[in-house]
Amino acid sequence: MAMKVKELADLVGISVRTLHYYDEIGLLSPEEITDTGYRLYSNDNLEMLQQILFFRELGMPLKEIKQMISSSSFDKQVALLQHQKMLMEKRSQLDKLINTVEKSIKHMKGEIQMTNKEKFEGFDFSQNPYEQEARKRWGDEAVDESNAKVAGLSKDAQKAVSEIYTKLASIRTASPRSEEAQTAIKEWYDCLNNNFGTYSLDAFKGLGQMYVDDQRFTKNIDQYGEGLAAFMCEAMKHFADGNQK
């Protein structure tokens, strides 16, 4: 039985705006759009959405997901087996971290003694995916400058960032093109340029795209409100396009 977009969003636990965005970028289009404009999703759509969310859970960007699931060689069963393998590896790392926490508690109580090496079992800092992506997009110099500024960010600046996210979250159900949304997103643009280096309009637009392409960004931003990352992406795109000379 076909499902409307709100029914699917409620079933899965994601926002309607996210499903609309997936449709806009050609990642997941509904089986049918009625004459009255209702999006109808089939069982095949549901299975493909499950695949997409598995990939997202593993931190894969939307662009790469789209390339994979659009390939003629894409096999759902093979993909599920791969998901299983990667999730088991992820679970193994989490189990190690849980074990380290449990041992640390016993160590603090004086029940056991931990070696310094044991205190850090399960942690993996071999790479910083956020920084790697940023370096690829904007270059080493811009990221180094941003890192230096983040490290020295004042409490007032941190508060300002949080307040802007909170304000944007409160209006995320409105149109990203609305005057209210564009005023708020300009505050974010100014905040970035005042605290994190120089952002051109194109870089600002590209950053907004990263908010939805990279699940790690999406999760952090959506802590302020489900669907905020997608809302900011659209608002930042409209702001950048509207202010190009």
Side-chain angles (χ1 to χ4, degrees):
M1 181 178 177
M3 300 181 68
K4 294 180 180 178
V5 64
K6 181 66 166 59
E7 294 174 323
L8 180 57
D10 290 343
L11 172 69
V12 178
I14 60 178
S15 68
V16 169
R17 185 179 297 279
T18 296
L19 289 171
H20 284 177
Y21 181 73
Y22 286 177
D23 185 15
E24 289 172 12
I25 64 174
L27 180 62
L28 181 72
S29 297
E31 187 73 23
E32 178 186 354
I33 298 180
T34 67
D35 293 337
T36 53
Y38 285 107
R39 290 174 166 88
L40 299 180
Y41 291 84
S42 66
N43 286 332
D44 285 343
N45 288 144
L46 265 66
E47 289 184 4
M48 190 57 72
L49 178 59
Q50 183 196 52
Q51 291 282 352
I52 292 168
L53 295 180
F54 273 133
F55 281 123
R56 292 289 277 159
E57 187 64 29
L58 295 167
M60 193 163 292
L62 292 178
K63 184 177 180 181
E64 291 184 17
I65 297 174
K66 181 180 177 181
Q67 290 175 342
M68 283 189 295
I69 65 176
S70 299
S71 172
S72 59
S73 61
F74 180 72
D75 187 304
K76 292 180 182 178
Q77 185 173 346
V78 171
L80 285 171
L81 290 171
Q82 185 66 20
H83 294 320
Q84 182 185 44
K85 177 185 176 184
M86 295 177 73
L87 287 169
M88 288 178 70
E89 290 174 354
K90 186 176 180 180
R91 182 176 67 182
S92 177
Q93 184 194 1
L94 289 174
D95 285 341
K96 290 179 182 177
L97 286 171
I98 292 170
N99 184 57
T100 299
V101 170
E102 291 174 345
K103 289 172 68 174
S104 297
I105 293 172
K106 291 181 179 179
H107 175 76
M108 292 184 68
K109 290 181 177 179
E111 297 175 4
I112 64 170
Q113 289 294 318
M114 294 180 71
T115 66
N116 287 334
K117 183 177 181 180
E118 287 176 325
K119 293 176 183 178
F120 299 96
E121 287 181 350
F123 290 103
D124 183 6
F125 300 114
S126 59
Q127 62 179 358
N128 184 333
Y130 283 97
E131 184 166 324
Q132 285 188 341
E133 180 68 15
R135 288 188 185 280
K136 182 175 70 174
R137 288 175 181 261
W138 294 303
D140 289 349
E141 183 178 350
V143 175
D144 288 338
E145 179 183 356
S146 177
N147 285 345
K149 291 208 170 189
V150 171
L153 204 61
S154 69
K155 290 185 178 180
D156 287 342
Q158 293 176 24
K159 182 181 178 182
V161 170
S162 180
E163 287 177 349
I164 293 173
Y165 273 111
T166 301
K167 179 187 293 186
L168 286 163
S170 71
I171 60 173
R172 68 187 187 282
T173 57
S175 169
R177 297 169 175 260
S178 68
E179 182 178 350
E180 183 180 27
Q182 288 299 296
T183 299
I185 212 67
K186 184 181 184 303
E187 290 183 34
W188 181 230
Y189 178 71
D190 292 339
C191 180
L192 286 173
N193 278 286
N194 290 334
N195 295 288
F196 297 98
T198 302
Y199 277 77
S200 66
L201 289 170
D202 285 338
F204 186 60
K205 181 178 178 180
L207 180 64
Q209 189 63 45
M210 284 181 67
Y211 290 169
V212 293
D213 281 351
D214 193 315
Q215 186 193 24
R216 293 156 297 193
F217 278 111
T218 305
K219 280 187 174 182
N220 284 339
I221 294 171
D222 279 5
Q223 290 179 27
Y224 287 85
E226 178 68 31
L228 177 59
F231 173 80
M232 289 184 68
C233 173
E234 294 180 37
M236 291 164 75
K237 179 179 184 298
H238 183 70
F239 177 85
D241 291 343
N243 286 278
Q244 294 280 8
K245 294 181 180 180

